[in-house]
Structures are given as C-alpha cells and as structure tokens.
C-alpha cells in the first residue's frame, strides 16, 4: 500500500536521528530529512525499476524525495525560529551564580554606605572643641561612606569586565592556523568588546623555534581576519620569542598625541610643589594631569605626586575618572594628620573620536588653541581633601586635528596682570609661533616669566592632537 512507504521512511529517519542526532544541535533536521527523503526515494525507485516504469516517472520520484527532504529541513528551521522567539519573549535570561553574588555584594555595600550617611542627632550644650570633633567625625563618616559606595561600583565594573570577555572558537582556529604558518604557537585567545566598546584581543603565544616574530606582523594578520585595523597596545612586547607571553591587541586609533612640559620653581625653594603625569590606556585613551600641592617645597611636591600616582594607578586598573578621584579624596580626608590639599586638573582624550573630557578639582583654568582662536575651560569646586563630598563637573568637548591643550597651575595665572590674567594668557597662547608642544611650553613659560619672577611654582603642560 502507498502509505506503508511513508511509515517505513519515517521509521528509518527516526532511527538515524536516534543514532546520530544530538540534542540542541541544528543537524538533527538534516539527519531526519535525509533518512526520510532518501529511504522514500530508494523504495519508489526500486519498485519502478522492477515494474519497468519510464524514466520520467523515476525522475519524478527522485524529485519527490528531494522535495520531502527540503520540506523537513525548512520545517525544522521554522520550529527552531519559533522556539527561539518563545524563549526570548517569555523566559528571562538565566542569571549566572557569580553575577548574582556580585549583585548581592554590591547591594550590601550600598546599604552600608547609606547607614554611614545617616545624620547624627544634634546635642545641645557642646563646647567649641566638641563641635569641631563632631564635625570631623561627620566628615570621616561621609568619606568612609564614599569609599564603601565606590567599592560597590568597582565590583560592578569587575563583573562587567569578566562577562564581557568571550571566546570565539572559529576565529581562534583561524588565527591559530595563520600564526602556525609564521612559526608561532597559539595557546589561548580572548576577545573583549562589550557595549559598543572598541575591540580588544588578548593572545597568549610563543614561537616554536629559535626565531623572533614581530608583534606588528601578527597585528596585520589580526587586521585581515577581523576586518578592522588592529595594533599592539602601547608598551607591549615588540617581538614574540620562545618565552610564552600574552599580548594585547587593540583597534587602531584615529589620532596621535605629543606633549611637552615646562616647570619653574618658586623663588627661594629648591623643589617645585607642582607635579604632572601623562599616560596611555589600552582602551585608546590618553590622560594628561597636573596637580598643585598646598604651599611649596618638598611637602607640597610629595602631596601632588601622591595624588597623581594614585590617580594613574586607579585609571590603569580600569576605574573611571570620577571613581578614582573620589577614592583619592576619601583617603586624604581620612588621614589623621594635618590636612593635605591638592588640586587635580585632568584632561582625558579619546584617541578614536577626539573627544576630550576635563575634570577639575580646585584647578586653574585650561586653554585650547584651535584654528580660529583660544578657548578657556574653567572649573569649580574645592581641592581634593577639603571635604568628604566632592563636586565633580566634567566638561566634554571635541578636539580636531592640530588642536593644542594647555594645562597650567595657579602660579602661571598669578604671574600675569591682576584682573586680566585669563585674557592675557589667551593672547600669549594665540601668538605662540608654530612648533612642537615642548617648544611651545618653553616659549610660553618665558613670556609669562617676563611679567615678573616666579612668585609661586609654575607648570605648563601642552598636549597636541594630530590625525594619524
């Protein structure tokens, strides 16, 4: 009977699915379709051959088997699509236990921070010394609350970093095959780039023989495979040898930066109380910072250096600018000794887009020299260490090819005519002759000193942005 062929074909397809199928894999529909359609075609062709049917009848049977096979495969894809839509629409994404633990820890830190910020009950009849002590304790509580709150944010950032690092077996296999042709043995590859961030690739590798392979040559291979320009991160190894190393590759930036600095010490002092710092991060960000310690001399220098060293360490560890500054401010406020005050003037440049963010904590005005004029960036707030609550008002703008950023300390401003300091400095910057950032910093310092001696420590940090 006609229906027996379909029953037998269905049974044979089911047997093949049981033997060779895997739950959750997309090949099951192909196995069942091949078993059903192939057996149906074989049975019909056998019967028609024995009965001596015409060739066009046998061709029609062959086409019928192919149609059955195609229909089963298409039906399988349709069921998978419907299943995926149902899962994404109805079932929430399962939460990993580690992520859940991190979220619970973060909520605990937030609750503890709120408890520290609870306003204490006021007590009447206290003398001036007790009031000063109570105010100091209140400031310490606010600072401690800030530290705890930032710990919660750090946990959140670490969690996103962990879950943003993925593996790609197909691309890893292709990279390994290409590197083997270069004599490089691949150990492990991790890909990072969540939330629209720039792609990063961590590769652990070594050479198989006593040869050295340039890291830039490996970057060109990655550029070809990923479809975007890749380059080794700054300060990474230049060559791969028989020693196993891990190299970070990042997307090529659109801009390069050069910087120059000039410092002048206050008259009568041997050491300047100003400090500066410049560094790059793998995410394609450049940081230039200036700090002015309270007073002058060795103590002020130590204060400003400590602030910038901590700031660089926090940013290099992956913390945001705001988190880093708040952590530093809290640590300064909690010190039991005499108060330590230091300004923070930070410029962060995204080398992919040219966007620059200024973060000023009690710092002097900064200046941007553009093609058609000089722009002044002013800040607000008190220096770090004055209060446990820090006012952060980042200022963001776009830099273009050839723009220059001038970061200066208070000593530079105070050396100019009173009441016209910013206007005079803008004019001096605009009239500077073309040159390298170092030459422009040197030239500007000479012109500022021409108005009078160094009544305070002076530092000028010039950063230039140019398209690659």
């Amino acid at each position: 009977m006609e229906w027996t062929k379909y029953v037998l074909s269905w049974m044979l397809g089911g047997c093949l699915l049981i033997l060779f199928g895997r739950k959750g894999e997309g090949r099951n529909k192909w196995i069942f379709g091949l078993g059903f359609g192939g057996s149906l075609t074989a049975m019909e062709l056998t019967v028609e051959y024995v009965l001596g049917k015409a060739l066009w009848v046998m061709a029609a049977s062959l086409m019928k088997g192919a149609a059955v096979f195609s229909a089963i495969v298409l039906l399988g894809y349709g069921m998978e699509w419907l299943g995926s839509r149902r899962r994404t629409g109805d079932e929430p994404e399962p939460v990993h236990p580690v992520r859940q633990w991190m979220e619970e820890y973060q909520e605990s830190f937030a609750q503890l921070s709120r408890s520290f910020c609870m306003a204490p009950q006021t007590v009447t009849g206290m003398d001036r010394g007790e009031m000063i002590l109570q105010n100091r304790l209140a400031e310490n509580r606010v600072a401690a609350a800030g530290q705890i709150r930032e710990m919660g944010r750090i946990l959140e950032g670490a969690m996103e970093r962990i879950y943003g690092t993925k593996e790609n077996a197909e691309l890893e296999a292709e990279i390994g095959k290409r590197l083997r042709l270069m004599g490089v043995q691949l150990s492990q590859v991790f890909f990072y780039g969540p939330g629209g961030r720039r792609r990063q690739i961590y590769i652990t590798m070594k050479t198989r023989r006593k040869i050295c392979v340039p890291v830039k040559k490996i970057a060109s291979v990655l550029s070809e495979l990923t479809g975007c320009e890749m380059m080794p991160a700054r300060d990474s190894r230049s060559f791969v040898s028989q020693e196993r190393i891990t190299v970070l590759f990042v997307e090529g930036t659109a801009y390069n930066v050069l910087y120059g600095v000039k410092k002048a010490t206050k008259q009568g002092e041997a050491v300047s109380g100003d400090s500066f710092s410049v560094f790059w991060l793998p995410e394609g960000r450049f940081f230039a910072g200036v700090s002015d310690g309270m007073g002058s001399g060795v103590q002020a220098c130590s204060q400003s250096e400590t602030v910038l060293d901590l700031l660089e360490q926090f940013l290099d560890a992956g913390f945001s600018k705001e988190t880093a500054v708040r952590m530093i401010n809290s640590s300064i406020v909690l010190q039991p000794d005499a108060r330590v005050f230091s300004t923070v003037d930070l410029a962060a440049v995204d080398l992919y887009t040219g966007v620059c963010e200024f973060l000023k904590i009690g710092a002097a005005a900064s200046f941007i020299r553009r093609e058609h004029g000089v722009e002044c960036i002013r800040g607000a707030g008190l220096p770090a260490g004055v209060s446990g609550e820090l006012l952060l008002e980042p200022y963001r703008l776009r830099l273009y090819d050839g723009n220059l950023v001038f970061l200066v300390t208070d000593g530079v401003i105070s050396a100019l005519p009173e009441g016209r300091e910013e206007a005079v400095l803008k004019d001096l910057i605009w009239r500077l002759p073309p040159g390298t950032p170092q030459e422009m910093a040197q030239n500007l310092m000479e012109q500022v000193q021409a108005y009078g001696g160094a009544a305070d420590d002076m530092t000028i940090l010039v950063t230039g942005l140019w398209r690659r």
Side-chain angles (χ1 to χ4, degrees):
M1 298 178 66
E2 185 69 19
W3 59 270
T4 57
K5 294 185 295 184
Y6 292 94
V7 173
L8 291 174
S9 300
W10 182 84
M11 293 177 62
L12 182 57
C15 292
L16 292 176
L17 185 62
I18 294 173
L19 291 174
F20 302 104
R22 293 291 185 274
K23 185 177 180 180
E25 294 189 4
R27 65 178 182 177
N28 290 348
K29 54 185 173 294
W30 294 88
I31 294 174
F32 183 71
L34 182 62
F36 196 118
S39 59
L40 179 62
T41 303
M43 284 187 289
E44 289 198 350
L45 288 178
T46 301
V47 172
E48 290 165 357
Y49 177 78
V50 172
L51 296 178
K53 297 288 185 178
L55 289 177
W56 68 269
V57 177
M58 302 175 75
S61 299
L62 185 62
M63 294 177 62
K64 187 202 305 189
V68 171
F69 168 74
S70 302
I72 292 175
V73 172
L74 291 175
L75 181 61
Y77 277 115
M79 294 177 64
E80 288 180 358
W81 181 77
L82 290 175
S84 63
R85 295 274 294 184
R86 189 179 300 111
R87 285 194 299 270
T88 55
D90 301 335
E91 299 179 6
E93 183 181 356
V95 180
H96 195 280
V98 177
R99 180 185 289 268
Q100 185 175 359
W101 296 334
M102 288 282 194
E103 292 176 351
E104 292 175 355
Y105 293 153
Q106 183 184 2
E107 179 60 30
S108 300
F109 279 121
Q111 184 64 33
L112 185 59
S113 174
R114 287 191 290 268
S115 68
F116 269 82
C117 292
M118 294 177 62
Q121 296 181 354
T122 57
V123 180
T124 59
M126 290 190 303
D127 58 20
R128 184 172 181 275
E130 291 176 339
M131 291 184 63
I132 294 176
L133 178 60
Q134 290 296 326
N135 291 334
R136 177 64 174 171
L137 290 176
E139 290 180 358
N140 288 347
R141 288 173 63 89
V142 172
Q147 292 275 23
I148 296 171
R149 184 168 56 249
E150 294 305 326
M151 285 299 299
R153 294 175 182 173
I154 291 169
L155 284 177
E156 181 181 7
M159 178 179 63
E160 294 303 325
R161 185 80 182 186
I162 291 172
Y163 284 93
T165 304
K166 305 293 184 181
E167 295 184 5
N168 188 331
E170 182 178 354
L171 183 55
E172 181 178 353
E174 187 64 27
I175 294 173
K177 182 170 64 176
R178 294 289 297 273
L179 293 186
R180 279 195 298 272
L181 298 177
M182 301 166 56
V184 177
Q185 180 180 350
L186 184 67
S187 298
Q188 203 167 31
V189 180
F190 288 106
F191 303 89
Y192 178 73
R197 296 185 182 180
R198 302 292 177 173
R199 181 179 301 181
Q200 299 180 16
I201 303 178
Y202 296 83
I203 300 183
T204 303
M205 55 190 166
K206 66 177 182 178
T207 56
R208 293 180 293 177
R209 298 180 298 274
K210 293 182 179 180
I211 60 174
C212 290
V213 177
V215 172
K216 290 185 177 181
K217 191 174 180 181
I218 298 176
S220 63
V221 173
L222 296 178
S223 302
E224 182 181 346
L225 293 177
T226 58
C228 64
E229 182 189 4
M230 302 297 295
M231 57 185 292
R234 192 177 181 87
D235 299 329
S236 63
R237 297 279 288 270
S238 300
F239 293 91
V240 181
S241 61
Q242 287 186 300
E243 176 189 359
R244 180 176 297 176
I245 60 172
T246 299
V247 180
L248 170 60
F249 295 90
V250 298
E251 289 191 28
T253 58
Y255 295 93
N256 279 334
V257 291
L258 291 176
Y259 72 91
V261 64
K262 181 61 180 177
K263 301 178 66 176
T265 306
K266 179 181 178 180
Q267 295 178 356
E269 294 287 350
V271 179
S272 172
D274 298 342
S275 298
F276 76 95
S277 177
V278 291
F279 55 96
W280 288 257
L281 293 185
E283 292 81 8
R285 299 182 69 83
F286 170 80
F287 291 88
V290 174
S291 179
D292 184 0
M294 182 180 59
S296 60
V298 177
Q299 183 179 2
C301 178
S302 176
Q303 295 170 6
S304 58
E305 281 184 350
T306 301
V307 168
L308 289 181
D309 287 344
L310 289 174
L311 184 62
E312 183 173 349
Q313 291 178 23
F314 280 128
L315 292 174
D316 189 48
F319 301 151
S320 66
K321 306 183 299 298
E322 295 77 11
T323 298
V325 172
R326 287 193 180 99
M327 295 282 285
I328 294 171
N329 182 73
S330 298
S331 66
I332 295 176
V333 171
L334 290 173
Q335 288 184 6
D337 300 330
R339 292 295 184 90
V340 176
F341 304 145
S342 293
T343 66
V344 177
D345 195 359
L346 184 67
V349 183
D350 189 331
L351 299 181
Y352 292 103
T353 62
V355 174
C356 181
E357 294 184 2
F358 290 89
L359 191 62
K360 291 181 168 294
I361 311 298
S366 300
F367 301 86
I368 300 176
R369 174 169 160 171
R370 299 187 184 271
E371 184 179 358
H372 302 293
V374 179
E375 184 176 350
C376 181
I377 308 298
R378 300 178 182 86
L382 299 172
V386 175
S387 173
E389 287 291 338
L390 199 61
L391 178 62
L392 297 180
E393 296 181 355
Y395 187 86
R396 176 182 296 184
L397 49 79
R398 177 73 181 272
L399 299 180
Y400 298 94
D401 183 33
N403 288 172
L404 296 165
V405 178
F406 292 77
L407 302 182
V408 300
T409 54
D410 288 334
V412 177
I413 301 294
S414 60
L416 299 175
E418 185 177 357
R420 300 189 299 116
E421 297 91 341
E422 294 182 1
V424 172
L425 190 54
K426 287 175 65 175
D427 185 66
L428 293 178
I429 293 174
W430 178 245
R431 295 177 182 277
L432 286 175
T436 65
Q438 181 62 47
E439 293 171 347
M440 301 185 81
Q442 174 74 30
N443 196 342
L444 181 60
M445 180 64 77
E446 293 174 355
Q447 295 186 43
V448 171
Q449 288 179 326
Y451 283 89
D456 193 3
D457 298 319
M458 296 190 293
T459 299
I460 301 175
L461 177 59
V462 184
T463 301
L465 189 73
W466 286 274
R467 184 170 288 277
R468 294 179 59 207

